[in-house]
Amino acid sequence: MKQHSIAATAATIGILPLMLAPLARLDFLYYGVLLILPLLRFRRAENASILLLLGLICAGIGILLNNPLPIFRPWERLGMFALLLAGIGPLFGGIYNAELSRRLFQHLAACCLIVGALSACGAAIGLNLGAGQFSGLTPHSMILGPVAAIGFLYAMHRIMHRYAESGTIPILLFIAAGACFISILLASSRSALLATGAGTLYLILHLPRGRSMMLLLGGLGCLLLLPFSGELLEGILHKMDSAREAGSIFSSRSELWEDRWQEFAEHPFFGVGFASQSIITFDHSLQSGSIEPGSSYLGCLSMLGLTGTLPLLAVLAHALRRGMQATPFPPLAVCVLIFFCIHMIFEGYLISAGSILCVLLWSCISASLNPQT
């Protein structure tokens, strides 16, 4: 147990620079995690995921067949993704790795709660360290929204678990959950807000007891925030107005979705190449090599084709099924995984190993395959 805790804590510290803007220059710690953690897991591995190995092999074949532009660095990014699956994802199985996965996910979720809550507190004094609408302590508002959402789900899970066991409500956790919800609203992430609702609804509907109390608490929280709704919803309302003017609520994504679907239609089996594009949606991609797929699902289909995407989605579906079978209390990991399944419709990070959202997703998948409430 002590070994699990030390390894999970060290890995969490190494991952934090991806989540916190003040620590961005320490991102080399994350690369250290990607090098060391796979070795630790490999030593304790009792089996390996055939589906993930198949997905990685097909991704490599896709690069060989399409020879993508060097600016996208497909082999480097594929190598990083393979290391992420080995160190944080469920590539290697076994009793030790299962416990390590659970502990690492719990640590990361707790960090999300702290970052989300402190970001809301920072908003009161004008603290905004990143880019985008409001980023709080994170590098960008597109990161703050999902991070705060995971923190909110973590707090609500703890609250409901405590209430189911003892009939008491931990007030500090309730306040922290409210602060995380404020961060989601300030980040103006419509997709994160929608996905948070889905994860929370699943949690409430699968409680063994106390559903009415939790709904009452949720209503109370909304009433407390009602006087500040104008400021909290300003960014989201502005996005909705802009979308209506553009003629569609998905106007910010429709062009990306169309491009990714066209790439998939032209290269249905092996895609256009890992972390690459054949249709350059934005000019800056040719200078920086950065890619905005617009959707994890369509992005994977276009980059990996059916041969690379189906194994990854099969692992995702299996993790969701395993988590949903856990009783009597719904595991935190499956609530967060439901959040990701909705959120990934609108954001593309399923195979982006350099993104904190990708790290959180695959950590969540690993924990869902080894559920523990």
Side-chain angles (χ1 to χ4, degrees), residues 225-241:
L225 295 178
L226 191 59
F228 311 99
S229 59
E231 293 83 355
L232 296 176
L233 295 174
E234 181 181 359
I236 291 179
L237 293 176
H238 176 71
K239 284 187 175 182
M240 295 298 289
D241 289 339

Side-chain angles (χ1 to χ4, degrees), residues 45-58:
E46 298 173 17
N47 51 66
S49 170
I50 300 300
L51 283 172
L52 291 180
L53 288 173
L54 178 62
L56 291 172
I57 291 171
C58 290

